[in-house]
Amino acid sequence: MVYESSYDSGRRPHKPDLTRGYWAAPSDFVYTCISLGFRMDVISMGWFIYQHMGGAVIPYIVCMFLFVVPIMVIQSFMGQFSSSGFISVFRISPIFKGLGYISLGVNLAVLTYYSMFAAVPLLYFFHSMRPTIPWSCEGMEKWFINSTEVEVEHSCKLKDMVEINASMAKTNDSYKYIGYEVPSVLFFNSIFGGDDIMDNYEYNSPFMFSWELLLCTMLSWGIVAAVFYRFYNTELMSKFLRYTIWASLALLVISVIRFLLLSLDFKYIFSYFIATPRELAEGIPNTLLFIVSAFGPGWGSIIALASFNRFKTNIMNFSWLICIGQMCIFMAYGILTHIIQGYFQSIIEHYDEVDNLYVYVNHHWALYLSSGSVMTTMSWPNLWSMIFFGMLALMALITMITCLFSVFQSIFDEFEILRARRTEVTLGIIGILAVLSLYTCSNHGVVFFSAMSMDSLFTQTTLNLFLLLVVLWIYGRIRFQRDIEFMLGQRFSTWKVNMLRFVAPICLIILLLISVIAAFYEHSVASIVVHIAAIFLIVLPWLYLPGYMIYVLLQTSGPFKMRFRRCCRPLDWYPLEMEERQRYEEAMGNMDITHQLSQMEDEVVP
């Protein structure tokens, strides 16, 4: 049997959403999935920085071959074959449908803090419109001196302090450490009262709130709500995402070129692509964490996005294009970060010849906070600041919209009753997320979000492990290869399947251990609010999995062994288009099921 009908199991059948639509162009699927690489919550962390691209490219390519592209093919297959989001798609093995609800919780959890990555660059974007940029050296003289009673050394004062600090070091036999702050980081601290929130991040530190950041957060969610209200169907959203992604990629290329033109030593730029064996080994853990970003900030976005493909779309070639495109974005982020760090390193190079003197610059969040001071040294700093921070804000908004787009469609695929009230449900969920995201407008929320980000990495990795179990072991290697061959007209090689069955789980388990260690570290300094949010949005959804398994087993008749087997078999697993469904059932010799499904629609078999 190809699949079991819902009527045979005595449950209400899955009713597909016939109004869901398709991408306006097949390439829109590629563009949208590439934009998942815009994810910034992982690489914005201070310890997640590549000093050498050569230490990341090779591990990244190896991981692409081992499991990233194959898992992307599996997720794309599930969404495209069934035309379903990440909840309903688990009717491929109904007993594991709880995984869909877990992924829904993860997506909503990520969105509660992700608006910060749009709000922060919007804050800098609007301040870049001022005649004198506040974090420039001229701006610092006007506002920073009178804003604090504590003397703070910053990089604008660095060159003037060379002789003084050198003489101080020579009069002391011990090492003297001098730390300088980046003006653009000091500006960000100033909106929270001036404290160094990036260094003083103890969970019991005073709670401070920024009204400027709150306004930018509300603006971000307002833009998201307006997009979903205006581009309400798949075709309109497809075109909107296509053009905004093009614009973001163009701005990214322009920014990389402009930063490359900074007066840095060419050897320093070239060294970014060279890695020693030690640097190569050190880059592997960070690479493993980064490649999770290939699947988006939540989980299941690729499944939902692939569900808008035409049935014959070649997801194998598209998966490689997506991963290569995301790797290029990753390299662009790395180049920008490397240049920003090199800029501050070049400022303090003249201290190398001073004995017993160690000078360093405290630059945090290189792409978001420290980059502002670098751009003040360029010609037309206001223009470049608006371009750069506008690009970051646009990328964050695209990521939020894409994630929400997959969430909404998955909800409407699963809950038929909500389809008649799409607008109300969409705007209602956006409003709730906007309220929950207000915590990120505080100094605690800005710093401690990384704990939930690490929790989401753990959950994403676990869901990928379950995905391999469901598709390749329970649904079965043979049936998976058969469906791929039917859908695409080309075979998914057995060695690739065995790679996914035996090698990929090992890689994912290693990644799981890394994410656990990182999550433990981040939670050790996080606030109680983050702990509680992680419990409700990350931990508790996992309790739904065994609960749903028990519920499904109780709804099925027969002995336990028979119930378990019936609940593991695919339920209503067929293509959405009637012509393809008939071809599928003809190819598998199950013509009688088509007649049954087309005649019985409303009642559940008692």
Side-chain angles (χ1 to χ4, degrees):
M1 179 179 292
V2 178
Y3 59 83
E4 185 174 348
S5 169
S6 300
Y7 296 103
D8 297 331
S9 301
R11 295 196 295 271
R12 188 173 296 277
H14 169 72
K15 293 186 178 180
D17 183 6
L18 300 179
T19 62
R20 63 195 331 275
Y22 296 97
W23 295 114
S27 58
D28 290 345
F29 170 67
V30 178
Y31 298 136
T32 309
C33 289
I34 287 177
S35 71
L36 296 176
F38 291 159
R39 178 181 182 179
M40 295 295 296
D41 56 336
V42 175
I43 64 174
S44 65
M45 299 177 188
W47 49 268
F48 191 82
I49 295 175
Y50 289 108
Q51 297 297 332
H52 300 276
M53 191 65 200
V57 171
I58 295 177
Y60 189 92
I61 294 176
V62 171
C63 291
M64 282 173 57
F65 277 99
L66 289 180
F67 65 96
V68 177
V69 172
I71 289 179
M72 192 170 291
V73 169
I74 290 179
Q75 293 194 16
S76 300
F77 152 75
M78 294 178 69
Q80 182 170 307
F81 187 89
S82 63
S83 298
S84 303
F86 54 74
I87 302 177
S88 299
V89 75
F90 279 101
R91 65 183 186 273
I92 192 173
S93 183
I95 198 171
F96 288 97
K97 197 172 184 179
L99 295 173
Y101 295 102
I102 294 173
S103 59
L104 177 62
V106 173
N107 280 279
L108 296 177
V110 171
L111 287 167
T112 57
Y113 66 77
Y114 204 88
S115 59
M116 175 181 61
F117 294 99
V120 172
L122 281 176
L123 175 70
Y124 280 85
F125 176 83
F126 290 124
H127 280 284
S128 298
M129 296 180 180
R130 298 168 65 174
T132 301
I133 298 180
W135 53 88
S136 65
C137 292
E138 295 79 6
M140 292 284 288
E141 294 176 356
K142 294 181 179 179
W143 68 271
F144 181 72
I145 295 177
N146 299 322
S147 66
T148 177
E149 298 178 355
V150 180
E151 180 70 13
V152 178
E153 305 293 351
H154 52 84
S155 58
C156 288
K157 301 164 60 178
L158 197 88
K159 295 181 180 180
D160 298 332
M161 299 289 290
V162 175
E163 293 79 7
I164 298 176
N165 290 324
S167 60
M168 291 174 60
K170 290 178 179 180
T171 60
N172 194 339
D173 294 334
S174 60
Y175 280 98
K176 180 176 180 60
Y177 293 87
I178 302 176
Y180 289 90
E181 302 294 338
V182 176
S184 55
V185 177
L186 290 175
F187 170 78
F188 188 73
N189 292 337
S190 69
I191 69 174
F192 294 104
D195 288 341
D196 189 351
I197 63 174
M198 295 299 168
D199 282 338
N200 302 323
Y201 52 83
E202 296 296 333
Y203 64 90
N204 57 354
S205 59
F207 184 86
M208 292 173 288
F209 199 80
S210 170
W211 290 104
E212 288 185 79
L213 201 58
L214 180 143
L215 293 175
C216 292
T217 300
M218 291 294 98
L219 176 61
S220 301
W221 284 111
I223 294 173
V224 171
V227 168
F228 277 96
Y229 183 79
R230 175 62 181 85
F231 305 98
Y232 50 86
N233 62 36
T234 304
E235 185 175 357
L236 291 175
M237 183 63 73
S238 174
K239 294 179 180 179
F240 170 80
L241 290 174
R242 181 200 311 164
Y243 295 125
T244 52
I245 292 169
W246 284 356
S248 298
L249 293 175
L251 292 175
L252 180 60
V253 172
I254 293 172
S255 298
V256 170
I257 294 174
R258 182 62 188 90
F259 272 78
L260 284 172
L261 296 178
L262 286 174
S263 57
L264 291 174
D265 188 356
F266 178 76
K267 293 181 179 179
Y268 179 80
I269 302 297
F270 183 75
S271 67
Y272 178 64
F273 299 93
I274 306 298
T276 63
R278 179 180 177 179
E279 292 162 348
L280 183 63
E282 292 175 349
I284 292 176
N286 279 351
T287 303
L288 287 174
L289 287 177
F290 181 81
I291 58 178
V292 181
S293 302
F295 304 103
W299 190 89
S301 295
I302 293 178
I303 294 176
L305 296 175
S307 67
F308 299 107
N309 287 339
R310 297 287 179 178
F311 190 71
K312 294 293 185 180
T313 301
N314 192 335
I315 53 176
M316 291 187 181
N317 293 340
F318 280 2
S319 296
W320 279 105
L321 291 175
I322 291 167
C323 286
I324 293 174
Q326 290 182 343
M327 186 174 70
C328 292
I329 294 174
F330 166 49
M331 292 177 65
Y333 285 159
I335 291 172
L336 290 172
T337 302
H338 193 68
I339 294 174
I340 292 169
Q341 291 175 327
Y343 169 80
F344 296 110
Q345 183 65 30
S346 64
I347 293 179
I348 62 176
E349 282 180 350
H350 50 264
Y351 283 98
D352 294 340
E353 299 179 356
V354 179
D355 297 332
N356 302 331
L357 182 62
Y358 179 74
V359 181
Y360 60 93
V361 178
N362 292 320
H363 50 80
H364 305 282
W365 277 24
L367 290 179
Y368 276 78
L369 304 185
S370 301
S371 59
S373 290
V374 178
M375 285 181 285
T376 57
T377 64
M378 300 177 179
S379 302
W380 304 325
N382 298 73
L383 174 63
W384 289 112
S385 294
M386 287 189 287
I387 290 176
F388 186 79
F389 290 118
M391 174 197 71
L392 293 178
L394 182 59
M395 286 179 170
L397 290 171
I398 290 173
T399 304
M400 293 169 61
I401 292 169
T402 302
C403 187
L404 279 170
F405 186 46
S406 63
V407 166
F408 291 142
Q409 190 56 57
S410 298
I411 291 174
F412 296 135
D413 281 337
E414 178 64 16
F415 304 104
E416 180 188 4
I417 192 174
L418 299 178
R419 296 173 190 171
R421 307 183 68 87
R422 288 178 183 267
T423 303
E424 293 86 345
V425 172
T426 299
L427 297 181
I429 292 177
I430 292 176
I432 293 173
L433 291 174
V435 173
L436 294 176
S437 68
L438 295 181
Y439 181 70
T440 62
C441 301
S442 67
N443 58 330
H444 287 185
V446 167
V447 176
F448 299 141
F449 80 91
S450 54
M452 290 189 63
S453 179
M454 288 296 100
D455 292 337
S456 68
L457 285 179
F458 171 82
T459 305
Q460 287 175 309
T461 307
T462 308
L463 287 170
N464 282 327
L465 281 169
F466 272 107
L467 180 71
L468 298 179
L469 172 67
V470 170
V471 176
L472 300 179
W473 291 94
I474 296 177
Y475 186 64
R477 173 185 64 83
I478 296 177
R479 286 191 288 188
F480 168 70
Q481 290 177 282
R482 177 201 64 195
D483 289 352
I484 284 281
E485 182 176 359
F486 172 80
M487 185 171 65
L488 304 182
Q490 53 182 301
R491 188 167 179 79
F492 196 79
S493 302
T494 302
W495 71 267
K496 295 180 181 178
V497 179
N498 290 332
M499 184 76 71
L500 275 168
R501 298 177 83 192
F502 302 107
V503 178
I506 297 175
C507 299
L508 291 175
I509 290 173
I510 295 174
L511 176 57
L512 196 65
L513 294 175
I514 296 174
S515 62
V516 168
I517 295 173
F520 178 80
Y521 169 76
E522 295 293 344
H523 273 284
S524 65
V525 296
S527 65
I528 186 64
V529 176
V530 173
H531 296 326
I532 295 174
I535 291 174
F536 278 96
L537 298 175
I538 302 293
V539 179
L540 290 184
W542 279 105
L543 300 179
Y544 194 82
L545 181 60
Y548 192 85
M549 287 181 172
I550 296 173
Y551 169 77
V552 171
L553 289 172
L554 292 177
Q555 293 295 310
T556 307
S557 59
F560 176 80
K561 188 174 182 180
M562 180 182 295
R563 291 185 182 191
F564 184 78
R565 288 182 175 178
R566 294 182 68 180
C567 291
C568 289
R569 291 201 296 261
L571 190 69
D572 297 340
W573 182 253
Y574 49 76
L576 174 63
E577 299 177 5
M578 184 59 66
E579 180 181 354
E580 299 296 343
R581 189 193 308 183
Q582 291 175 342
R583 287 182 55 248
Y584 181 64
E585 291 164 353
E586 288 174 1
M588 306 307 154
N590 287 271
M591 287 290 292
D592 56 320
I593 299 180
T594 301
H595 176 75
Q596 184 183 29
L597 289 177
S598 62
Q599 296 298 322
M600 303 178 64
E601 296 180 353
D602 299 325
E603 298 298 328
V604 178
V605 177

